[in-house]
Amino acid sequence: MSENYTTGIAGLDDILGELEPGSVMLVTGPPKAGKSVLATEFIYRGLQAGTPCLFIAAEYGFRDLQRNTMAFNWFIQTFSDKLHVIDLPTVLGGSKPQDSGNIRYSALQNTTDLMVKVGIATRSLYQESGIFLSAFDSASILLAFNPPRLVLRVLKAYNNRVREANGIALVAYTEGVADPEIEEGISELFDVHIRMDGSMISASTPTGTREAPYRIGEQGLLVG
């Protein structure tokens, strides 16, 4: 990837600016602030632009991901050749789905297997085009099934693999799930911090912090 990247989300790019290859972003906020919508739209706009994407679905499975995107008229199934998914919660229901094409299944409490599949996917995406996006929704769910310091190591390993492959990643996290020390440790892992509070969205980058009002409309995130 030789050029910087914009998300294609109207208004968000104005406060975020262009993203360098290897950038990792943390999206925080209270429940229902729209973090999952942002994570999903980040991937959808990337697919629309022809960019391969990796979505790590921790909060809901692949079927729910398809259902959620259809609510915004985002038909991600039309990009099946460019969309890679690691589905973590489906096995909780007792089913034993088999990996198929770009869809891989793991488990929320099996972080070793998760990172192996992240490594396979990021290498595949890099070899495919040298540019890719990734969203992890969300780290909060991973904390519910694993010790906090293990989750810190997983997020650090995830970020490293994205950076090594020149990807751009976004990780969602719900404030207050972990204690303040762990939350500070999570925040320190990322280059960019996006915060959503239900009405305002801010982006803290190495060059400063910008903010704007936002709402969730029928077509997704509306910033400004």
Side-chain angles (χ1 to χ4, degrees):
M1 186 174 179
S2 58
E3 298 180 353
N4 291 349
Y5 188 85
T6 55
T7 69
I9 301 175
L12 179 63
D13 288 326
D14 293 337
I15 65 169
L16 192 58
E18 293 187 349
L19 297 166
E20 296 181 356
S23 296
V24 289
M25 300 179 286
L26 178 67
V27 182
T28 67
K32 309 298 183 184
K35 302 182 296 299
S36 291
V37 174
L38 172 54
T40 308
E41 186 166 359
F42 175 65
I43 292 300
Y44 176 69
R45 299 301 177 197
L47 292 169
Q48 272 192 314
T51 306
C53 296
L54 167 64
F55 194 95
I56 301 176
E59 187 156 348
Y60 41 82
F62 179 52
R63 289 186 178 180
D64 287 332
L65 173 64
Q66 291 177 292
R67 191 177 304 117
N68 295 343
T69 53
M70 287 176 65
F72 293 103
N73 289 319
W74 303 335
F75 297 99
I76 61 170
Q77 57 269 35
T78 62
F79 304 102
S80 58
D81 60 328
K82 291 187 177 297
L83 175 63
H84 295 238
V85 175
I86 300 177
D87 178 320
L88 300 180
T90 294
V91 297
L92 288 175
S95 60
K96 297 180 179 179
Q98 298 296 314
D99 292 355
S100 175
N102 294 337
I103 312 301
R104 299 178 175 88
Y105 294 88
S106 188
L108 285 159
Q109 64 274 35
N110 191 345
T111 56
T112 299
D113 182 68
L114 166 61
M115 292 317 301
V116 168
K117 292 186 174 177
V118 167
I120 293 170
T122 54
R123 283 195 299 274
S124 175
L125 286 161
Y126 178 72
Q127 291 168 357
E128 185 177 332
S129 69
I131 171 177
F132 73 92
L133 306 180
S134 181
F136 192 145
D137 187 24
S138 70
S140 315
I141 304 301
L142 210 59
L143 281 161
F145 288 84
N146 299 280
R149 295 199 178 280
L150 173 59
V151 174
L152 274 177
R153 292 197 294 272
V154 169
L155 292 177
K156 184 177 181 179
Y158 168 73
N159 288 359
N160 286 342
R161 287 177 183 172
V162 168
R163 287 188 174 108
E164 289 166 0
N166 276 340
I168 297 174
L170 181 154
V171 175
Y173 171 74
T174 300
E175 294 172 348
V177 170
D179 63 42
E181 181 185 359
I182 295 298
E183 288 200 341
E184 183 178 352
I186 291 174
S187 181
E188 290 174 350
L189 295 174
F190 294 84
D191 309 311
V192 177
H193 186 178
I194 300 171
R195 187 172 188 281
M196 309 173 76
D197 68 3
S199 61
M200 296 293 292
I201 182 169
S202 64
S204 297
T205 71
T207 60
T209 299
R210 295 179 180 176
E211 64 177 13
Y214 77 96
R215 63 185 178 87
I216 307 298
E218 294 181 353
Q219 301 300 316
L221 190 65
L222 301 171
V223 179

